[in-house]
Amino acid sequence: MYDTTDRGQQPVVEDIEGLTLANENYRTTIWTGKKLQVTVMSIEPGDDIGLEIHEGIDQFLRIEQGEGLCEMGPSKDDLSFKVKVKDDDAIFVPADVWHNVTNTGNVPLKLYTIYAGPDHLKGTVHVTHQDAIDDPNEH
């Protein structure tokens, strides 16, 4: 069993692959520090992370299971960067770039993401994508 509470500001060593694969929630925030944040995500087949931009925040995503399509660009209407992604791929999203990852496979897309700096409130858990959409603290 994995501890999925947000243990930010504490030293932690974690089996990030195991925790990511065991996660069943759309998003679980596992560590929030002053300058970075780590979440694990499970995206259902056909669903996506949701088109978004992080102002002033760089982002790193690592796929642990599944396959998808990564799209990035300078505006919502110009996602000219399109790359298929799969297990073991890393995605680097520069600050202020629109991006989305869609699960194009038949199993949940399992990934973890690192935000530099934090993007969600400490301890954020969204069981479903709709929970994230409905959360007034999300942008």
Side-chain angles (χ1 to χ4, degrees):
M1 191 71 185
Y2 294 96
D3 182 352
T4 59
T5 59
D6 189 330
R7 292 163 286 145
Q9 307 297 319
Q10 300 175 44
V12 174
V13 173
E14 190 63 71
D15 171 4
I16 192 71
E17 181 180 10
L19 194 150
T20 301
L21 292 172
N23 175 57
E24 297 295 327
N25 293 325
Y26 169 76
R27 175 183 295 118
T28 302
T29 305
I30 62 167
W31 201 91
T32 302
K34 292 179 182 176
K35 301 202 183 240
L36 71 85
Q37 182 175 60
V38 180
T39 69
V40 292
M41 299 186 76
S42 180
I43 312 300
E44 291 300 313
D47 199 2
D48 62 8
I49 288 174
L51 183 59
E52 59 186 2
I53 187 171
H54 305 295
E55 296 177 4
I57 297 172
D58 293 319
Q59 185 178 14
F60 167 90
L61 302 93
R62 184 165 193 289
I63 309 297
E64 293 292 345
Q65 171 186 290
E67 55 189 45
L69 176 64
C70 174
E71 299 174 280
M72 289 190 245
S75 70
K76 286 182 179 184
D77 301 323
D78 181 8
L79 301 175
S80 53
F81 179 91
K82 295 177 190 265
V83 176
K84 291 180 181 180
V85 294
K86 62 181 178 7
D87 320 9
D88 301 329
D89 283 346
I91 301 167
F92 298 86
V93 182
D96 308 313
V97 170
W98 285 94
H99 59 282
N100 195 5
V101 178
T102 302
N103 182 346
T104 59
N106 297 320
V107 299
L109 182 64
K110 304 277 188 155
L111 61 96
Y112 66 89
T113 183
I114 300 170
Y115 302 91
D119 189 56
H120 306 284
L121 292 178
K122 179 177 171 57
T124 296
V125 174
H126 295 126
V127 176
T128 68
H129 189 178
Q130 190 62 48
D131 291 341
I133 292 168
D134 294 341
D135 186 338
N137 295 309
E138 295 296 314
H139 21 24

